[in-house]
Amino acid sequence: MRIALYQPEIPQNAGTLLRLGACLGVGVSIIEPCGFILDDQRLRRAGMDYIERANLVRHMSWDVFLKDMQTNGGRLVLLDTKSTTSYLDFEFQKNDILILGQESSGVPPEVFSQIPYNVKIPLKEDCRSLNVAIAASMVLGEALRQTKAFLNL
């Protein structure tokens, strides 16, 4: 299981997700360019000392990320508000890569079309979205539960 952040814009969210990955034994990929410098103080504050323990891989572009993922295997699963499938109805696999789009706009249509699986978190009709770190935590928790990966911690 892996989390991938597509061109993240907010360092505190990236730091929080690096901390989540470190604590749950899940790798984190950052697909650049980022909206901040990776040694940003706000990223370090959110990730605390767990950042040093995170399995972080940087990818210089979406194309480089795709090539790396083809080499390493793994099924791409996008968390997106435009999806029609609830993450609660999706069957996760141990090698899934959970992709999160930019905080302000998600992923562009050309990236969306390249990802074979996508899921959403059901929300009240008058709500647009959750914070990306909270959304990732919810979906990752369900994916780890389904694949019994919590048993390995």
Side-chain angles (χ1 to χ4, degrees):
M1 192 77 55
R2 185 162 203 84
I3 298 170
L5 310 177
Y6 177 83
Q7 299 180 357
E9 300 166 307
I10 301 174
Q12 295 92 328
N13 287 335
T16 299
L17 290 166
L18 285 166
R19 182 178 179 179
L20 178 71
C23 289
L24 296 181
V26 173
V28 178
S29 289
I30 293 185
I31 303 162
E32 298 195 35
C34 296
F36 53 89
I37 299 169
L38 279 177
D39 66 354
D40 187 291
Q41 178 181 351
R42 295 166 295 178
L43 178 135
R44 294 206 166 278
R45 187 175 307 125
M48 298 177 57
D49 57 332
Y50 295 99
I51 287 180
E52 307 306 324
R53 295 160 53 181
N55 174 359
L56 171 62
V57 177
R58 294 171 62 183
H59 307 271
M60 298 315 289
S61 69
W62 172 250
D63 291 335
V64 170
F65 170 77
L66 281 180
K67 189 179 291 184
D68 290 347
M69 292 306 105
Q70 289 171 349
T71 301
N72 297 330
R75 193 171 68 157
L76 303 180
V77 181
L78 177 66
L79 283 64
D80 195 280
T81 59
K82 294 180 287 299
S83 176
T84 57
T85 304
S86 167
Y87 79 104
L88 298 168
D89 297 327
F90 188 78
E91 291 186 34
F92 291 95
Q93 297 176 0
K94 288 185 179 188
N95 65 344
D96 282 345
I97 301 153
L98 306 178
I99 302 173
L100 299 131
Q102 291 180 315
E103 290 91 342
S104 66
S105 59
V107 297
E110 61 273 13
V111 170
F112 188 96
S113 68
Q114 293 177 19
I115 302 172
Y117 303 97
N118 56 72
V119 298
K120 70 176 183 177
I121 297 171
L123 300 175
K124 292 174 50 180
E125 284 188 34
D126 59 339
C127 297
R128 288 188 319 273
S129 64
L130 295 173
N131 171 281
V132 69
I134 291 172
S137 299
M138 290 174 65
V139 176
L140 178 62
E142 175 62 13
L144 293 174
R145 183 194 69 79
Q146 283 186 22
T147 60
K148 302 191 182 343
F150 277 126
L151 300 176
N152 298 328
L153 296 178

